[in-house]
Each structure stands twice: as structure tokens, then as C-alpha cells.
Amino acid sequence: MWSQLSQLRTPVDDLRFAHPALAAQFERASRQLEHAGVRDRDTIMDNDSNMTDGLLGKQASQHISLAILREDLLTKIRALPGFERFLLPKTIDQLLPLAHTGHVVLLNASKPRCDALVITATSKEVIHVPLSRTSYNDIIRMKRQLSGLLRHHGRVIPRGEIDREGGTAKRIRWEPDDVFKSVLSDLWNNVATPILDVLALLSLPAKRPRLFWCPAGPFTHLPIHAAGLYDDAANLGSKLSDFVISSYIPTMSALQKPHQQESPTDSTRVRLLAVPQPSTDGDLQLNGVKDEMKFMRELTPSSPFMDFQEADGTIEDVLAKMKESDWIHFCCHGTQDRTNPLDSGLLLAHRKRLKLSDIVQLSRPRGGLAFLSACQTAMGDETLSDEAIHLAAGMLLAGYSGVIATMWSIMDSDAPRVTRDIYQRLFGDGKIPDSRLAAEALHHAVEALRDSGAPFLSWVPFVHYGL
């Protein structure tokens, strides 16, 4: 499903430049087909028991007609010089240049074996790294260990404290530090180290390079970025973050550069849209949101490159302003719908949910940063383990080139601190804002949180997606 949606939303900038009328027809047909697919799913879910054969038949007929129209347009486009492989699966020669920003590692776990496929900026071919030290059962075991630990509201929180999933947490019997040390050491020894060894990255660098993880299957549920040894005796050089700056991608297409590459200059103006939790909605109030918003209100006016705007919190207002803004920052409750992942979303005014299905239909220029300071915004669907279906991937599909998100519920008190550290690095002290530096800014913010003595449950969930 995700790859199909990605194809429907693939940028057609080159086609638009060379053949604008045909590009407009194709985009319109793709958008109608995409909207019909999401609308049909919602209609069936809402009316399953009362759905008539006639209505189902009519919707199916409309869908087929749109699909035929789009295929006819594809045939016309592929007959044009230079567009012979338009939207066809990329060849190896087309995939290799996508490693322009850093190394790309595709992880796969299957019952026969586990493997990594590696692409580097200088690759002439894909590098195969057998992960012979681990097995499918090992990956499943680690996934289940973390799932058991996180099942109660996504994390363990001292009684009475609030998380951003919208509730107070319950105490559970597992010792989280022991679970994390076990899982993260296995990931370090059996997954990360063999890959770093092949890439010749096991020497401490002066400047840490980017590494993009593209996990599949049960790997999608594991915090690969935090792999390492965290015993008291562990030294510098015993964890992945000592060597690389990690990001995730749901597919290789997430590394496609915007047609107009973002190159900030001293004339850059970045429009930052903030979407805070409404103060009158009856959900448990996130006190940290006040600190988060206060910091952004104070910092953005001091930057000569930032324009700050707040949304009123309604779905309509947020979607409209997302089209106009360059960066967006959500600080509110978030939730993952494990039954219907496209219904996962962010809770806005009037207790309405901005769903993933709403976000993926958004049409905006590609580029910019989405900061999802909420819970479970990069948590995949366990029933679709081969697909990274979550809000972070949806933001990439909507056009943002980079996304900061969380794998599970975060502490309300941690979010303002991480936000402050990231934005201070990105545009504080008169810096020209550059969303391409978000992964590095998050890396340092999480490193500071970890080194302050914060538990694994506080710092591990923060992740970066995209460029």
C-alpha cells in the first residue's frame, strides 16, 4: 500500500517542465485515484454492515475508470524521449545516486536468514552484508521484549506523570534498563558492527557521517539508531551514535532531492507553523506545551530568517496552513491506531483527529521540516510488519523532506528540552535555518538528554526520518 501511494505522489517536476499540460493531466488523475482509494476505504469501514451492492459497484467502476485513465496517460508519457522509465521501478543505476547524502542500509529479516544491502555515495554496485550473527527468531524476540515493556501506554512513567499519548502511565513489573541494555547490545554486536566494519567506519571520525536505515519486516519496530553497549564500563566507541548520525527512510524514494534544492542564503525566510494542544479540550493538559510554545515565541522573533505563525487547532485551519508554511511543529497528543494505521493521528481542537489519511492527501511543495512533538509518530503497524506505516512516513509523503518523530510515548517534560536544543542549533544565534541539519541537531539534543542521566525510555524514542 505504501509503495503504491508513493508512486501516486511521486514528484513530476521534470515532466511539468518539459510537458506542462500532460503533467497537469497526470497529476489530476493521480490525485483523484489516490483520494478515491482513501475515501473508499473510509466508506467501507464506516458502512460495512449497511453497504449495498449498488454503491460498492459504483465506487469500483469509478476507481477502475480512473486507473485506466492514469494508465493511458502513463503510456503517452513513456513514449516521450527521456521519460521511457517514468514511474517504473528504479534500476540499480538509478538507485545508486540516491546515496548522495550518506550511506544507505536496507535491513531484511526472513526465516532463512538476515541480511543488509548497503549503498554508498561512491558505490558502483550494492554491497551485500550477511548478518550471520543474528536470526529471524532473534529479531522477533527483541521486538517482543520491547513490545512487552512498552505495552502500557508505550512506556513506564512514575505514577501521576503525563505522557503525550493522552494518559497517565501505569507501573509495570519489567526493569526497562535491563531490557534496553540487552536489546541494544544485541543490535550493536550483531547488526550495526558488521555493517560499520564493511563500511570501514569503526574508527572515531572527526565529523560523523549520515547513515540512512531502511528497515523491513520486524526490523521496523527496533531502535537501530540507539544500538550500543551501555554498561557502566562501556567506553567511547561502543555505540552506533559515536560513529554515525542515523536517520530512517520508509523507502529509497524518500532520498530524492527536491527539484529545487534547498540552499539557504542570507535572504532565506522560513515560515514555521506551530500547532499546540488546545487548552480547552478536556484531554489531560500537557504542561510542557506551554514551555515549548514560549520558547518558540521567544526564539523565532530573534531570528532574521524565521516567520512564526500559530494554527487555531482545527483540522481545516491546520491543513490549509500546512500548504503555506515551510516547517511545521506539532506539540499535542498523538496516537497510533493499530487496527487501521491510516486512522493514526494527532489530536487537535474539539478532540478531532488529524489522521494519517488526511496528511497523505495533502499537496504541498516538497521540502522543509516537520517536527512531531507527540507520541507514537514513528510507530509502525504490527499487522503490516513489512511496511513503515506511520505519521512520520506520511509527512514525507506529504512533501516534507525531513521529519523528527517518536517511536513511542515521550515524557511531557522531555519534549520542551529537546525542542529547545534542536531549534537553537537550527536557527538560534542568527544562524540561517537549514532543515537538512535537523538530523544532526536531533543527534546532539538526544545525546545531551542521554548524558544528563535520563532513562532509556526518555531518549531512545526520538528519531529522524528523511533527508
Side-chain angles (χ1 to χ4, degrees):
M1 184 197 73
W2 205 246
S3 59
Q4 292 171 344
L5 280 174
S6 296
Q7 276 217 334
L8 292 177
R9 297 299 300 274
T10 299
V12 291
D13 293 339
D14 292 337
L15 180 66
R16 190 183 299 113
F17 179 78
H19 306 279
L22 189 56
Q25 285 182 279
F26 178 76
E27 287 184 296
R28 183 165 54 252
S30 295
R31 196 175 303 116
Q32 289 173 340
L33 183 60
E34 176 191 338
H35 289 185
V38 175
R39 185 173 62 249
D40 292 352
R41 183 194 69 86
D42 290 341
T43 302
I44 291 171
M45 291 299 300
D46 293 341
N47 302 283
D48 187 45
S49 59
N50 301 316
M51 182 67 69
T52 65
D53 291 340
L55 181 55
L56 278 174
K58 182 179 179 181
Q59 289 185 342
S61 178
Q62 291 173 341
H63 207 119
I64 291 170
S65 297
L66 287 170
I68 292 173
L69 172 61
R70 185 175 182 273
E71 283 301 314
D72 289 343
L73 290 170
L74 277 174
T75 300
K76 291 181 181 179
I77 293 168
R78 289 171 183 161
L80 297 171
F83 293 92
E84 294 83 359
R85 294 198 58 81
F86 183 77
L87 290 192
L88 289 174
K90 287 183 170 60
T91 64
I92 292 298
D93 289 340
Q94 290 174 308
L95 287 174
L96 293 178
L98 294 179
H100 50 80
T101 305
H103 309 299
V104 181
V105 179
L106 294 87
L107 294 172
N108 184 64
S110 62
K111 290 183 179 179
R113 56 186 295 159
C114 296
D115 299 274
L117 298 177
V118 180
I119 301 173
T120 72
T122 58
S123 289
K124 295 185 178 179
E125 59 183 18
V126 176
I127 303 168
H128 174 227
V129 183
L131 301 178
S132 55
R133 300 178 192 171
T134 194
S135 68
Y136 180 82
N137 288 337
D138 290 333
I139 304 302
I140 293 296
R141 170 184 53 79
M142 288 188 279
K143 172 186 168 183
R144 287 175 176 168
Q145 282 180 299
L146 286 178
S147 295
L149 178 66
L150 303 171
R151 189 169 293 118
H152 291 254
H153 292 287
R155 55 170 296 146
V156 182
I157 304 175
R159 187 177 302 277
E161 293 200 39
I162 298 173
D163 67 21
R164 290 202 171 186
E165 189 184 358
T168 53
K170 300 177 181 178
R171 290 186 181 275
I172 56 178
R173 64 181 180 273
W174 298 284
E175 289 295 332
D177 282 2
D178 293 339
V179 174
F180 273 105
K181 286 179 181 179
S182 172
V183 169
L184 297 181
S185 66
D186 282 352
L187 289 174
W188 168 248
N189 291 320
N190 304 326
V191 178
T193 299
I195 294 168
L196 294 183
D197 188 27
V198 168
L199 290 171
L201 290 177
L202 282 173
S203 297
L204 293 174
K207 180 176 175 59
R208 283 169 278 204
R210 298 283 301 276
L211 194 151
F212 298 89
W213 300 98
C214 187
F219 271 120
T220 60
H221 301 279
L222 297 179
I224 311 295
H225 64 284
L229 305 179
Y230 294 93
D231 292 324
D232 293 338
N235 298 316
L236 184 66
S238 59
K239 51 187 178 294
L240 180 64
S241 60
D242 292 335
F243 300 96
V244 298
I245 294 174
S246 290
S247 293
Y248 291 92
I249 51 173
T251 66
M252 289 284 290
S253 61
L255 296 178
Q256 191 75 42
K257 289 182 180 179
H259 190 64
Q260 293 182 334
Q261 177 66 29
E262 298 172 277
S263 299
T265 67
D266 56 9
S267 62
T268 294
R269 298 296 300 180
V270 171
R271 296 163 296 179
L272 171 61
L273 172 66
V275 185
Q277 179 201 26
S279 58
T280 58
D281 271 4
D283 288 311
L284 287 171
Q285 290 302 302
L286 300 171
N287 293 324
V289 169
K290 298 177 182 177
D291 295 332
E292 227 165 313
M293 292 299 297
K294 180 176 182 291
F295 171 75
M296 285 189 282
R297 291 186 188 112
E298 292 175 350
L299 182 63
T300 49
S302 67
S303 169
F305 309 107
M306 300 296 296
D307 291 325
F308 183 67
Q309 184 180 23
E310 294 182 41
D312 65 14
T314 63
I315 291 178
E316 297 76 15
D317 183 61
V318 170
L319 287 174
K321 288 177 178 173
M322 284 176 74
K323 295 179 182 179
E324 302 167 358
S325 63
D326 303 301
W327 296 8
I328 189 165
H329 185 108
F330 287 93
C331 40
C332 54
H333 292 299
T335 187
Q336 174 80 10
D337 191 313
R338 293 173 177 82
T339 304
N340 301 304
L342 285 174
D343 285 341
S344 302
L346 299 152
L347 302 184
L348 303 183
H350 313 303
R351 310 191 78 173
K352 299 291 186 180
R353 184 183 299 187
L354 177 62
K355 297 179 182 179
L356 178 55
S357 57
D358 299 319
I359 293 168
V360 299
Q361 294 182 67
L362 189 68
S363 179
R364 63 178 298 278
R366 189 157 183 266
L369 173 68
F371 194 142
L372 307 180
S373 185
C375 291
Q376 305 179 6
T377 49
M379 179 184 286
D381 174 28
E382 295 201 11
T383 64
L384 296 170
S385 60
D386 287 333
E387 301 206 48
I389 300 178
H390 45 61
L391 290 166
M395 287 292 177
L396 292 175
L397 197 57
Y400 294 94
S401 56
V403 184
I404 293 173
T406 61
M407 294 186 74
W408 57 76
S409 299
I410 55 173
M411 280 293 299
D412 186 38
S413 57
D414 292 331
R417 175 175 179 173
V418 172
T419 297
R420 182 188 66 241
D421 289 355
I422 289 173
Y423 285 149
Q424 188 65 50
R425 282 184 171 273
L426 288 179
F427 59 82
D429 300 324
K431 299 185 185 77
I432 300 175
D434 187 347
S435 63
R436 296 172 299 179
L437 300 178
E440 182 179 354
L442 176 65
H443 181 97
H444 289 292
V446 169
E447 195 171 55
L449 183 61
R450 184 192 70 211
D451 291 347
S452 72
F456 290 97
L457 286 159
S458 287
W459 62 265
V460 173
F462 289 97
V463 290
H464 179 269
Y465 268 78
L467 289 173

